[in-house]
Amino acid sequence: MKAFPLLPLGLALLVASSTAFAGATLDRVQGKGELTGVLMENYPPFSFLNEQNQLDGFDVDVAKAVAERLGVRLKLETPSWDVIAAGRWSGRYDICVCSMTPSKARAEVFDFPVEYYQSPAVIVVNAKDTAITSGKDLSGKKVGVISASTYEAYLNKDLTIEGAEDKPLIYPFDNAQAAPYDNETVAFQDLALGTGVRLDAMVTNLITAKERIAQDPRFKITGETLYAEPNVIAIEKGDPQWNEKVTEVITALKADGTLAKISQKWIGADISK
C-alpha cells in the first residue's frame, strides 16, 4: 500500500472540520432525497389540515415548491410553536417555511436566509365589542397570542425585529396581559365566548384574521395596524452553504412568479413582494 505523508494534527482537524461544515444540511437533504420542513398545523391560510386531513395552505405550497426545486420529496412535521421557535433542532428539521418573523432573540439560534412575504399585525376582538378601538385600549386587557410568538413579545414590549433595529416599535398601550396559546383555534374559541369572559382581544396576522373572520362573523378587526412584520425562511444557525442554497431557491421562485401564484391562490394578492 502506498504511504501518504501525514498532515500536522491541527491542519488535519481543520480540513476535517471544514469538510463536515461545508453544507451539512444540504448533504443530508440530498443524501436522503427528502426535505424535512416544520410549520404549524392550525394557522390558516398559511398552514392547516384540509377536509382530507392533509396539510394545506400558503406555507405548505411554498415548502413544496422549495422541495421540488431541490429535486427531493417533502416531509412536513407540526410540533408546537414553542418547539419550532426554540431552535437548536439538532438535524431533526431542515427548514421552517412557517411565517416566522426574524426577531433579535431568534437570531441567536437561527439564520434567516431570505424574506418571502410581509404582513401586518392587527387587533381582533369579539364582533360585539365596542370598548377596544385602538392599540391604547389594550391597556389592562387580556390578549390572546400564539405562545413564543412575536405578538407575545410585542405585548410584553420586548420585540426587536432583526434587521430593523433602527426602526423602534411603538407600544400605544401601557400594560397589556399576554395570554399565550398553543394554537389560534383555541384562542379564537375563547374570544368567541364574549369580551372579558376568557379574553378581551387577540393580536395576530392580518391575513390570518381576515381568513378567520370570513368564515366566522363573531370576530372583527379593530384599530390601525400595530406594526409590519417581515416573514422569513428560518434554518439552523451555522450552515452557510445551506443558507446560500435556500436563498437561491426562494429568489428563483420569486423571479419566475411561483411565489406570486401561490400568494394569489391563498391570499388573493401578491404578498411576496
Side-chain angles (χ1 to χ4, degrees):
M1 180 182 293
K2 183 178 180 180
F4 294 91
L6 294 175
L7 290 171
L9 179 58
L11 182 57
L13 289 174
L14 176 61
V15 171
S17 62
S18 297
T19 302
F21 188 67
T25 307
L26 184 58
D27 288 346
R28 181 174 66 243
V29 169
Q30 292 177 332
K32 290 168 51 181
E34 181 176 83
L35 176 70
T36 301
V38 61
L39 40 67
M40 289 180 285
E41 188 177 285
N42 293 292
Y43 198 58
F46 295 98
S47 52
F48 60 95
L49 290 174
N50 61 24
E51 294 178 354
Q52 288 74 45
N53 204 37
Q54 296 176 332
L55 283 167
D56 213 347
F58 177 88
D59 282 344
V60 176
D61 279 358
V62 174
K64 287 178 179 177
V66 171
E68 183 178 349
R69 288 299 169 91
L70 292 171
V72 298
R73 60 185 174 273
L74 175 66
K75 177 184 178 183
L76 290 175
E77 297 194 12
T78 57
S80 69
W81 181 253
D82 299 54
V83 172
I84 295 173
R88 298 186 173 89
W89 299 333
S90 301
R92 287 176 295 167
Y93 317 124
D94 304 314
I95 194 168
C96 166
V97 184
C98 58
S99 299
M100 184 179 285
T101 297
S103 70
K104 183 178 180 181
R106 289 173 182 166
E108 296 178 5
V109 293
F110 290 111
D111 282 330
F112 307 116
V114 62
E115 179 181 321
Y116 69 115
Y117 80 89
Q118 282 203 1
S119 62
V122 296
I123 303 167
V124 178
V125 296
N126 188 285
K128 297 179 181 179
D129 181 85
T130 57
I132 299 175
T133 61
S134 67
K136 65 182 177 61
D137 296 325
L138 294 180
S139 296
K141 304 299 183 182
K142 190 173 182 180
V143 186
V145 289
I146 291 289
S147 178
S149 66
T150 49
Y151 307 128
E152 183 177 9
Y154 177 77
L155 291 177
N156 291 330
K157 298 185 178 181
D158 190 31
L159 175 60
T160 301
I161 296 176
E162 185 74 5
E165 292 85 355
D166 59 334
K167 301 175 183 177
L169 296 173
I170 296 173
Y171 300 102
F173 46 86
D174 292 327
N175 59 319
Q177 180 186 350
Y181 286 77
D182 285 340
N183 66 74
E184 285 196 333
T185 298
V186 177
F188 273 106
Q189 289 171 351
D190 283 352
L191 186 59
L193 297 175
T195 304
V197 178
R198 291 185 179 172
L199 288 176
D200 297 300
M202 288 178 60
V203 171
T204 188
N205 182 299
L206 173 63
I207 300 162
T208 302
K210 284 185 173 182
E211 175 81 4
R212 184 76 61 167
I213 293 167
Q215 300 176 22
D216 193 334
R218 292 178 295 175
F219 313 105
K220 65 182 180 181
I221 295 169
T222 189
E224 299 293 326
T225 294
L226 294 172
Y227 63 96
E229 284 200 325
N231 291 270
V232 296
I233 307 296
I235 60 175
E236 287 190 280
K237 198 171 187 67
D239 191 335
Q241 187 177 0
W242 182 231
N243 192 314
E244 182 180 342
K245 188 64 177 179
V246 171
T247 301
E248 175 190 313
V249 169
I250 295 296
T251 301
L253 292 174
K254 285 183 178 180
D256 69 8
T258 300
L259 281 190
K261 290 178 182 177
I262 293 173
S263 184
Q264 288 289 349
K265 172 184 175 182
W266 290 106
I267 314 301
D270 185 6
I271 60 173
S272 67
K273 295 180 179 179

